[in-house]
């Protein structure tokens, strides 16, 4: 985050002054966060409003969806071999069995049963709930806005049908086969159905969502009934198949029983307990042997035991058959409905509160991301920390924006109009720093420059001179910038009297010094006739000697964009203050300016930021209000 809020660390690794306390920190202070929020608060709020607007557009153009719920209970069956036992039997269903019942509820068989029972393929309200397309949403908004004008509504509808045709129109005009209609209905049914187990119980929730609340309740109840009916049908089919198998098996066993009984009776009728070689041989079951089989003797007892065995088998099958036939009319399902679905009164979707909260959160995240990206790519002056990191210079002050006032000099006498403001408090700190420059002699000769015109350089010069003059120090402002806003303002004011502008030496320029009553400082205006003289180092040096009677001399230098030659006189001064406009002045250009001043052996007192809208201005205001009077 620190690399996003300021210049990347790789780009400033070559700075020799970034050691010790000024080295890059790995944390962000609370002041940096507050400054960041104050700077991009409107951008973040704009993204939040856009997110809320998109969320409102979404749920305003979405169809209300109603959800109906029914509940069934799965009951475990008692196995037949345990039904006749008098002892109590504890039965339970494992998770696999419950999941199997859920799979049946979600199956295509149940879907087709419900679709056929309710005739859903011919119901116009039974349709896909994926939501309208973006074109349909704009179509709805357009139609709702111009709903009162029938003629205009017809025109708008015709326009949208041509430009943004509804996808359903082409599909509706395309004939579909019966199988395609059934498959589409099954897909819609499956998309609207939701089956969930209630905790670890045997209860199952069946919910269905539809555009029609009554239809949602009907389908939910029909699904539960179809499941119960399917259970009965499955049990009935299984029981019928069992009866058919028992009948076939009874016939087979009966035939074998009759044959074995007949052989035993024939054997008993001969009063012979062994069968000779010429007689028909029988096997152990009383059946005649083939000629190829090995012959052996069989007793009457064996034949009677075989016949009795077949009789018992037949009686057992007959009892099972009778029991199955008796129980078939009383087949019941192992599930029952415990809660029937009713028509919902309120739509379950869209959830307006949740969508609005999500839209606001998404807008907030997008706004913060945009602000961080913009801050990371921003190479303009914004914080004192940037100036220390990038330039190795101190930020000697932060001047908040001041409004232009008619009467007087507008922003040029702000310190006299509002001496307790944060603007004045910041300039007081600059004045204290000026007093430390050139401490070897009582006079102070300070230059003020900026990167480009419009950075507030003239406002700083005028208010700083007025502040020094108000303290009783004779202050002179020398204008070396012929395009200075201060010169134009004073030229239009009645407080500035034109003097003889004939070119000459420094003594002639001294005669042109005027006293400004409202600001109490002296002013030497620059014009085209003497600009060359003021920007020449020799002439400026002689002029500074001629104005030695003034305690403070402030020279307004040309901006750096006018050319580096305008800074040639800066080595003659005790120090130079660089003015930078907050959020406008480029750090790269500011670095070029300060490096140029250092290369010509000028003393840079620091950077003064103007029109600052950050937390630092709030600190000055707080400090000013708490200061003793």
């Amino acid at each position: 985050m620190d690399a996003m809020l300021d210049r990347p660390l790789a780009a400033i690794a070559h700075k020799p002054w970034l050691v010790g306390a000024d080295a890059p920190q790995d944390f962000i202070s609370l002041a940096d966060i507050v400054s960041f929020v104050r700077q991009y608060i409107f951008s973040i709020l704009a993204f939040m409003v856009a997110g809320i607007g998109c969320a409102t557009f979404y749920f305003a153009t979405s169809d209300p969806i109603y959800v109906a719920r029914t509940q069934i209970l799965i009951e475990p069956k008692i196995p037949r071999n345990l039904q006749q036992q008098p002892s109590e039997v504890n039965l339970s269903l494992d998770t696999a069995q419950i999941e199997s019942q859920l799979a049946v509820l979600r199956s295509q068989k149940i879907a087709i049963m419900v679709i056929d029972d309710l005739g859903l393929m011919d119901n116009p309200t039974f349709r896909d709930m994926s939501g309208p397309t973006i074109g349909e949403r704009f179509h709805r908004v357009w139609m709702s806005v111009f709903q009162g004008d029938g003629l205009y509504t017809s025109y708008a509808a015709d326009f949208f049908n041509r430009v943004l045709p509804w996808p359903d129109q082409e599909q509706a005009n395309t004939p579909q086969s019966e199988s395609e209609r059934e498959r589409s209905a099954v897909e819609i049914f499956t998309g609207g159905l939701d089956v969930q187990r209630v905790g670890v119980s045997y209860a199952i929730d069946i919910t269905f969502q539809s555009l029609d609340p009554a239809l949602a309740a009907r389908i939910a109840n029909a699904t539960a009934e179809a499941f119960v009916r399917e259970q009965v049908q499955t049990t009935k089919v299984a029981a019928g198949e069992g009866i058919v198998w028992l009948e076939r098996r009874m016939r087979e066993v009966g035939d074998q029983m009759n044959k074995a009984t007949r052989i035993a009776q024939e054997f008993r009728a001969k009063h012979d307990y062994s069968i000779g070689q010429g007689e028909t041989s029988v096997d152990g079951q009383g059946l005649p042997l083939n000629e190829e089989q090995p012959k052996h003797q069989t007793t009457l007892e064996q034949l009677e035991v075989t016949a009795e065995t077949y009789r018992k088998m037949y009686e057992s099958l007959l009892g099972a058959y009778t029991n199955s036939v008796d129980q078939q009319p009383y087949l019941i399902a192992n599930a029952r409905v415990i809660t029937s679905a009713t028509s919902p009164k309120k739509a379950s979707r869209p959830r307006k509160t949740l969508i609005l909260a999500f839209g606001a959160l998404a807008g907030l995240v997008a706004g913060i991301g945009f602000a961080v990206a913009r801050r990371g790519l921003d190479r303009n002056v914004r914080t004192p920390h940037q100036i220390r990191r990038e330039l190795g210079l101190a930020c000697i002050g932060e001047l908040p924006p001041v409004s232009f006032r008619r009467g007087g000099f507008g922003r040029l006498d702000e310190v006299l109009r509002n001496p307790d403001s944060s603007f004045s408090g910041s300039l007081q700190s600059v004045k204290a720093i000026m007093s430390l420059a050139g401490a070897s002699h009582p006079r102070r000769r300070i230059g003020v420059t900026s990167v480009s015109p419009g950075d507030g350089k003239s406002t700083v010069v005028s208010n700083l001179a007025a502040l020094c003059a108000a303290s009783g120090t004779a202050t002179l402002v020398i204008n070396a910038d012929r395009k200075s806003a201060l010169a134009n303002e004073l030229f239009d004011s009645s407080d500035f009297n034109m003097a003889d502008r004939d070119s000459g030496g420094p003594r002639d320029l001294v005669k042109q010094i005027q006293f400004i009553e409202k600001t109490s400082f002296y002013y030497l205006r620059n014009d085209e006739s003497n600009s060359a003289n003021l920007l020449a180092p020799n002439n400026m040096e002689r002029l500074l000697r001629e104005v030695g009677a003034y305690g403070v001399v402030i020279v307004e230098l040309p901006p750096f964009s006018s050319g580096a030659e305008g800074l040639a006189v800066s080595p003659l001064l005790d120090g130079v203050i660089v003015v930078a406009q907050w959020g406008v002045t480029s750090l790269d250009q500011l670095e070029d300016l300060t490096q140029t001043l250092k290369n010509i052996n000028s003393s840079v007192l620091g950077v003064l930021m103007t029109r600052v809208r950050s937390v630092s201005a709030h600190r000055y205001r707080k400090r000013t209000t708490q200061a003793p009077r």
Side-chain angles (χ1 to χ4, degrees):
M1 287 292 296
D2 192 47
M4 293 182 180
L5 297 179
D6 291 318
R7 194 173 182 179
L9 297 178
I12 58 174
H14 66 283
K15 307 294 184 181
W17 54 82
L18 295 180
V19 294
D22 293 332
Q25 302 296 324
D26 296 332
F27 62 90
I28 301 175
S29 64
L30 180 61
D32 294 333
I33 297 176
V34 174
S35 175
F36 175 79
V37 172
R38 286 171 60 90
Q39 178 182 348
Y40 295 103
I41 184 64
F42 293 106
S43 299
I44 296 174
L45 290 178
F47 274 90
M48 288 187 63
V49 171
I52 295 175
C54 293
T56 305
F57 171 78
Y58 172 78
F59 69 72
T61 56
S62 298
D63 295 322
I65 297 177
Y66 299 88
V67 177
R69 183 180 72 91
T70 184
Q71 196 172 77
I72 62 176
L73 181 65
I74 306 297
E75 296 178 341
K77 278 188 176 181
I78 300 178
R80 292 184 178 180
N81 58 347
L82 299 178
Q83 289 180 356
Q84 306 299 329
Q85 296 183 8
S87 60
E88 183 178 356
V89 179
N90 295 324
L91 300 176
S92 61
L93 297 175
D94 57 11
T95 303
Q97 292 174 312
I98 297 296
E99 291 295 331
S100 299
Q101 301 295 340
L102 296 178
V104 172
L105 277 167
R106 301 188 187 102
S107 65
Q108 184 176 0
K109 181 180 180 181
I110 298 295
I112 294 177
M113 292 174 63
V114 176
I115 292 172
D116 293 339
D117 293 342
L118 301 181
L120 296 180
M121 286 193 295
D122 300 326
N123 193 330
T125 59
F126 182 72
R127 62 177 188 267
D128 189 14
M129 291 172 294
S130 59
T133 62
I134 187 65
E136 295 172 355
R137 294 181 185 274
F138 280 107
H139 184 278
R140 293 181 180 182
V141 172
W142 185 279
M143 298 298 290
S144 62
V145 171
F146 299 101
Q147 189 174 4
D149 192 348
L151 178 62
Y152 197 73
T153 302
S154 300
Y155 170 77
D158 181 68
F159 170 77
F160 270 95
N161 289 333
R162 292 196 311 268
V163 179
L164 296 173
W166 290 51
D168 294 340
Q169 292 178 351
E170 298 179 358
Q171 297 180 3
N173 296 330
T174 304
Q176 292 182 336
S177 62
E178 189 68 20
S179 60
E180 291 177 349
R181 292 180 59 202
E182 182 177 314
R183 184 173 64 253
S184 177
V186 170
E187 292 177 354
I188 295 175
F189 178 86
T190 305
L193 181 67
D194 186 27
V195 180
Q196 296 292 336
R197 182 180 181 181
V198 182
V200 295
S201 66
Y202 295 157
I204 298 177
D205 273 339
I206 302 175
T207 58
F208 193 85
Q209 53 185 3
S210 175
L211 302 177
D212 185 2
L215 181 62
R218 290 172 55 199
I219 294 178
N221 290 327
T223 303
E225 295 172 359
F227 176 74
V228 175
R229 189 167 70 252
E230 192 273 340
Q231 294 284 316
V232 175
Q233 292 176 355
T234 302
T235 307
K236 185 177 180 179
V237 170
E241 293 177 351
I243 292 175
V244 172
W245 181 85
L246 287 173
E247 290 178 348
R248 184 175 64 252
R249 183 58 178 162
M250 284 174 58
R251 286 194 299 268
E252 294 175 355
V253 174
D255 293 342
Q256 294 176 351
M257 180 190 68
N258 292 333
K259 182 180 285 190
T261 303
R262 179 175 52 79
I263 294 174
Q265 290 176 354
E266 291 177 355
F267 186 83
R268 186 183 296 109
K270 295 179 180 180
H271 300 282
D272 188 359
Y273 289 91
S274 63
I275 300 176
Q277 297 294 330
E279 299 177 350
T280 303
S281 299
V282 296
D283 59 6
Q285 297 180 350
L287 301 178
L289 293 172
N290 297 329
E291 294 298 332
E292 297 81 9
Q293 295 178 345
K295 298 181 180 180
H296 62 276
Q297 296 180 348
T298 303
T299 63
L300 178 61
E301 288 79 4
Q302 291 176 339
L303 297 176
E304 289 178 346
V305 169
T306 300
E308 182 66 20
T309 301
Y310 278 112
R311 185 182 63 81
K312 290 182 179 180
M313 291 174 59
Y314 182 81
E315 290 177 352
S316 177
L317 291 173
L318 181 62
Y321 176 79
T322 304
N323 187 33
S324 298
V325 173
D326 292 340
Q327 291 184 356
Q328 188 175 9
Y330 305 102
L331 293 176
I332 59 175
N334 61 341
R336 58 188 175 92
V337 179
I338 58 177
T339 302
S340 298
T342 58
S343 179
K345 302 299 182 182
K346 185 179 179 181
S348 301
R349 291 169 43 195
R351 300 179 181 178
K352 298 182 180 180
T353 304
L354 182 62
I355 292 175
L356 285 175
F358 177 78
L361 180 61
L364 177 63
V365 173
I368 294 176
F370 171 80
V372 170
R374 184 177 176 184
R375 184 65 176 268
L377 299 175
D378 189 6
R379 290 291 298 158
N380 295 332
V381 175
R382 295 197 180 272
T383 62
H385 183 59
Q386 285 179 298
I387 297 174
R388 289 192 298 270
R389 286 178 54 123
E390 300 287 339
L391 309 178
L393 297 174
C395 178
I396 60 177
E398 300 174 78
L399 302 181
V402 292
S403 59
F404 187 85
R405 300 179 180 86
R406 292 297 177 183
F409 302 127
R411 303 185 185 95
L412 304 180
D413 57 349
E414 177 68 19
V415 293
L416 302 180
R417 291 173 176 264
N418 298 290
D420 297 331
S421 64
S422 58
F423 182 91
S424 302
S426 182
L427 279 183
Q428 290 281 1
S429 301
V430 177
K431 178 176 175 293
I433 294 175
M434 287 173 51
S435 63
L436 301 177
S440 58
H441 52 81
R443 297 189 301 273
R444 302 290 182 268
R445 297 173 295 182
I446 305 298
V448 179
T449 186
S450 64
V451 172
S452 58
D455 289 341
K457 174 171 59 70
S458 297
T459 302
V460 171
V461 170
S462 176
N463 285 276
L464 191 58
L467 189 62
C468 295
S471 63
T473 304
T475 303
L476 172 64
V477 175
I478 299 177
N479 176 27
D481 182 11
R482 58 185 178 181
K483 295 183 180 180
S484 171
L486 176 59
N488 297 331
E489 186 70 26
L490 293 176
F491 181 79
D492 297 335
S493 175
S494 60
D495 296 283
F496 186 77
N497 297 322
M498 294 292 295
D500 185 12
R501 296 297 177 182
D502 294 335
S503 60
R507 294 183 181 274
D508 296 330
L509 293 177
V510 171
K511 297 178 180 179
Q512 299 177 11
I513 296 176
Q514 302 292 324
F515 179 73
I516 311 302
E517 295 182 1
K518 288 189 175 182
T519 55
S520 301
F521 62 78
Y522 295 88
Y523 184 75
L524 176 60
R525 185 188 179 208
N526 179 31
D527 56 21
E528 295 183 1
S529 62
N530 58 25
S531 60
N533 294 332
L534 290 180
L535 293 179
N538 295 332
N539 295 334
M540 177 62 72
E541 184 178 7
R542 289 195 296 269
L543 176 61
L544 293 177
R545 286 198 299 267
E546 293 294 332
V547 296
Y550 298 95
V552 175
V553 177
I554 300 177
V555 180
E556 184 178 4
L557 300 172
F560 185 63
S561 60
S562 299
E565 62 276 3
L567 305 177
V569 298
S570 57
L572 303 175
L573 307 176
D574 297 325
V576 177
I577 297 175
V578 178
V579 176
Q581 184 176 351
W582 182 90
V584 176
T585 302
S586 171
L587 277 170
D588 298 330
Q589 294 178 343
L590 188 62
E591 183 178 10
D592 293 340
L593 171 58
T594 55
Q595 190 63 38
T596 300
L597 292 173
K598 292 179 181 179
N599 291 339
I600 59 178
N601 298 324
S602 298
S603 176
V604 181
L605 299 181
V607 178
L608 177 62
M609 289 196 297
T610 60
R611 303 173 188 175
V612 178
R613 297 189 302 271
S614 67
V615 69
S616 300
H618 173 70
R619 291 175 180 171
Y620 282 121
R621 288 193 295 268
K622 183 176 180 181
R623 189 182 306 168
T624 302
T625 55
Q626 295 177 352
R629 299 180 182 274

